[in-house]
């Protein structure tokens, strides 16, 4: 039995809300203190094209892969060893059950989020705090350099990432890619058969910044301590297996980062990066809708008036998993930046004034067959004093208030709950097909 096309659409909408902007911010630098959460109604009727492409690939029969209707999840317990627990509460083995972030990590040992890359763990790598950019805490929302704009791309690499890189090359632009290691069942970042290692190496060789967006795009504030650590360590291992090092910059999925997670990321030596312009590209991945994303960017770009004390300092969030972002929005944004005198895009590290040698940590332990670059072998940056900023204090370089952070969090949880309800209803319908 196969899913009807309308049901795939429902699942796509819900997956988009879970995986992307249902939990993102609105507003530019001039209005950071007035950021407002989105309402759940904004998600329908838009479709996540990334999931559509994934669902179009050859897949095992959906019902055939189910473990004899065995239920799992809260109130039902765990699946047998070797199975995944779907968001709908059924044990199975294919993409629909195992892909993150939907697979329930606590109830299925074979969820993608529970499956680590090859090689030794990176947990024992030394993590000194380098430079003067704050670690952990409430995060970084805008550039320090007043005339710069940093384009960022989340959730890749994917089938459209290469086109994004081509466009950036055409404009001599640099960007920051917040990489997710194995979301949407797309395959592990360090698996050569996916082509992702080549893309990752191309990003770094071209001068782009690569950063972490966790292993399977889980909400770090809603999982166990061990699962939270795995989300970071597994992604580090995949980076290490491809490049020989891993990032010191990350962006939390859904912008969810509670006090415990902030403290963990501080201890792990991560700069936590958010944004102050959201293009909403995940809602507008269609030729008839992408103008909405351009309008959203234009509204914020229009607030720039350097002489009046309103500089650019923008960090823009896009997603390289969307076709219109790759083939339309990115070039338009770069053209608009040039027309307004902003220059071309730079990396987040550059716009914060952080030298490139502080962006990564060298790591050993890759499997013997990994094609590893040793480009960081001779880097010896100077650490700042170990005292550093408090991991949960609302202070430090480029931060926002604790009050605003908590306010956003409540709205994001509403949006996330909506998405989970939609998915649960969709899976309930599957059972009747």
């Amino acid at each position: 039995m196969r899913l009807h096309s309308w049901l795939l659409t429902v699942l796509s909408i819900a997956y988009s809300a879970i995986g992307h902007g249902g939990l993102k911010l609105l507003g530019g630098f001039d209005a950071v203190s007035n950021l407002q959460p989105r309402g759940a109604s904004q998600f329908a009727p838009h479709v996540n094209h990334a999931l559509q492409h994934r669902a179009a690939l050859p897949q095992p029969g959906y019902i055939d892969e189910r473990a004899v209707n065995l239920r799992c999840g809260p109130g039902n317990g765990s699946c047998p060893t070797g199975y995944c627990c779907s968001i709908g509460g059924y044990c199975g083995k294919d993409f629909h059950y195992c892909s993150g972030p939907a697979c329930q990590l606590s109830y299925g040992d074979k969820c993608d989020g529970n499956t680590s890359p090859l090689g030794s763990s990176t947990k024992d790598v030394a993590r000194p705090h380098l430079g003067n950019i704050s670690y952990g805490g409430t995060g970084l929302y805008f550039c320090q350099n007043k005339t710069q704009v940093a384009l960022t791309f989340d959730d890749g690499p994917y089938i459209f990432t290469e086109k994004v890189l081509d466009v950036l090359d055409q404009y001599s632009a640099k960007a920051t890619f917040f990489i997710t290691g194995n979301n949407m069942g797309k395959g592990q970042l360090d698996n050569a058969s996916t082509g992702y290692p080549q893309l990752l190496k191309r990003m770094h060789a071209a001068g782009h910044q690569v950063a972490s967006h966790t292993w399977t795009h889980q909400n770090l504030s809603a999982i166990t301590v061990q699962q939270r650590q795995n989300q970071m360590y597994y992604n580090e291992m995949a980076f290490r297996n491809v490049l020989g090092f891993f990032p010191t910059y990350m962006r939390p999925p859904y912008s969810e980062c509670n006090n415990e997670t902030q403290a963990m990321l501080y201890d792990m030596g991560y700069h936590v990066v958010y944004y102050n312009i959201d293009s909403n590209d995940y809602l507008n991945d269609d030729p008839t809708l992408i103008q909405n994303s351009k309008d959203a960017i234009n509204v914020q770009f229009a607030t720039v008036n350097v002489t009046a004390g309103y500089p650019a300092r923008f960090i823009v969030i896009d997603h390289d998993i969307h076709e219109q972002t790759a083939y339309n929005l990115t070039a338009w944004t770069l053209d608009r930046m040039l027309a307004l005198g902003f220059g071309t895009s730079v990396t987040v590290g550059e716009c914060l004034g952080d030298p490139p040698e502080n962006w990564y940590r060298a790591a050993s332990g890759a499997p013997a067959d990994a094609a590893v670059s040793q480009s960081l072998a001779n880097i010896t940056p100077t650490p700042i004093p170990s005292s550093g900023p408090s991991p949960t204090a609302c202070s430090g370089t480029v931060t926002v208030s604790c009050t605003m952070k908590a306010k956003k969090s409540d709205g994001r949880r509403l949006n996330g709950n909506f998405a989970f309800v939609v998915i649960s209803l969709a899976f309930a319908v599957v059972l009747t097909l």
Side-chain angles (χ1 to χ4, degrees):
M1 185 182 299
R2 302 286 182 179
L3 291 173
H4 293 304
S5 59
W6 65 269
L7 185 55
L8 275 175
T9 300
V10 173
L11 288 171
S12 299
I13 295 168
Y15 213 102
S16 184
I18 285 181
H20 306 102
L23 313 175
K24 296 215 179 1
L25 314 179
L26 292 171
F29 165 66
D30 63 310
V32 165
S33 61
N34 296 317
L35 296 175
Q36 297 294 324
R38 293 194 177 107
S41 62
Q42 288 182 264
F43 300 123
H46 305 290
V47 175
N48 181 327
H49 281 210
L51 185 62
Q52 283 188 312
H53 281 283
R54 181 64 181 85
L57 298 175
Q59 298 292 334
Y62 179 71
I63 300 299
D64 295 342
E65 292 294 315
R66 183 182 293 168
V68 198
N69 292 340
L70 185 61
R71 298 304 303 268
C72 57
N76 293 310
S78 298
C79 295
T81 299
Y83 281 86
C84 304
C85 183
S86 72
I87 188 64
Y90 282 90
C91 300
K93 289 186 175 182
D94 74 6
F95 152 75
H96 304 87
Y97 300 89
C98 299
S99 62
C103 188
Q104 299 189 60
L105 302 181
S106 296
Y107 301 99
D109 70 300
K110 287 300 182 182
C111 288
D112 286 349
N114 291 329
T115 304
S116 74
L118 297 176
S120 61
S121 174
T122 53
K123 65 183 181 63
D124 294 326
V125 173
R127 298 165 187 265
H129 288 187
L130 308 170
N132 60 4
I133 307 300
S134 61
Y135 287 79
T138 53
L140 310 167
Y141 284 81
F142 48 86
C143 296
Q144 284 188 332
N145 296 330
K146 294 183 178 181
T147 60
Q148 292 183 323
V149 177
L151 296 187
T152 68
F153 297 89
D154 282 16
D155 296 350
Y158 194 57
I159 58 177
F160 303 119
T161 302
E162 186 170 17
K163 177 60 179 179
V164 172
L165 291 171
D166 290 343
V167 173
L168 293 171
D169 285 348
Q170 291 168 12
Y171 287 81
S172 299
K174 306 304 177 188
T176 302
F177 290 85
F178 289 92
I179 302 292
T180 309
N182 191 12
N183 58 324
M184 303 185 297
K186 67 185 184 184
Q188 293 191 0
L189 176 65
D190 58 338
N191 185 332
S193 68
T194 64
Y196 303 146
Q198 290 76 16
L199 286 173
L200 195 60
K201 290 176 182 178
R202 177 182 172 185
M203 290 174 189
H204 181 256
H208 303 297
Q209 184 175 4
V210 295
S212 180
H213 198 39
T214 75
W215 183 234
T216 51
H217 207 285
Q218 308 298 142
N219 178 349
L220 296 178
S221 298
I223 53 181
T224 69
V225 172
Q226 184 62 61
Q227 290 165 352
R228 187 182 303 147
Q229 292 172 343
N230 288 347
Q231 283 292 303
M232 300 306 299
Y233 288 140
Y234 289 177
N235 222 28
E236 290 177 358
M237 293 165 65
F239 275 109
R240 181 270 322 274
N241 289 350
V242 177
L243 298 173
F245 53 86
F246 60 83
T248 61
Y249 282 71
M250 69 85 62
R251 176 174 283 157
Y254 323 113
S255 298
E256 283 283 357
C257 192
N258 61 13
N259 286 345
E260 289 183 358
T261 305
Q262 291 174 22
M264 180 196 79
L265 294 171
Y266 176 86
D267 290 340
M268 295 181 73
Y270 276 99
H271 304 290
V272 180
V273 180
Y274 296 101
Y275 45 87
N276 53 15
I277 293 184
D278 187 343
S279 70
N280 301 319
D281 60 342
Y282 63 95
L283 291 178
N284 298 302
D285 193 16
D286 185 277
T288 65
L289 299 173
I290 196 62
Q291 184 62 43
N292 296 328
S293 292
K294 297 175 183 178
D295 292 343
I297 293 172
N298 255 336
V299 166
Q300 298 306 322
F301 279 178
T303 66
V304 175
N305 186 332
V306 176
T307 58
Y310 295 99
R313 302 179 70 180
F314 292 124
I315 299 177
V316 183
I317 182 173
D318 292 316
H319 300 80
D320 52 313
I321 63 172
H322 295 308
E323 185 173 18
Q324 286 300 308
T325 299
Y327 286 88
N328 189 331
L329 183 63
T330 300
W332 176 90
T333 304
L334 291 166
D335 281 333
R336 190 66 181 145
M337 288 169 58
L338 291 172
L340 293 171
F342 296 166
T344 196
S345 172
V346 300
T347 64
V348 167
E350 180 177 344
C351 88
L352 293 173
D354 194 29
E357 59 264 28
N358 292 344
W359 302 353
Y360 307 106
R361 301 188 193 279
S364 59
D369 60 348
V372 173
S373 166
Q374 298 299 326
S375 60
L376 294 190
N378 297 318
I379 289 179
T380 55
T382 303
I384 60 175
S386 59
S387 55
S390 165
T392 57
C394 297
S395 61
T397 305
V398 195
T399 58
V400 294
S401 70
C402 284
T403 302
M404 189 277 286
K405 185 70 174 175
K407 182 178 180 181
K408 291 181 301 171
S409 179
D410 292 340
R412 288 194 302 268
R413 289 192 184 95
L414 169 64
N415 294 336
N417 290 340
F418 164 78
F420 276 105
V421 168
V422 174
I423 280 188
S424 298
L425 289 173
F427 271 92
V429 174
V430 172
L431 302 179
T432 68
L433 297 177

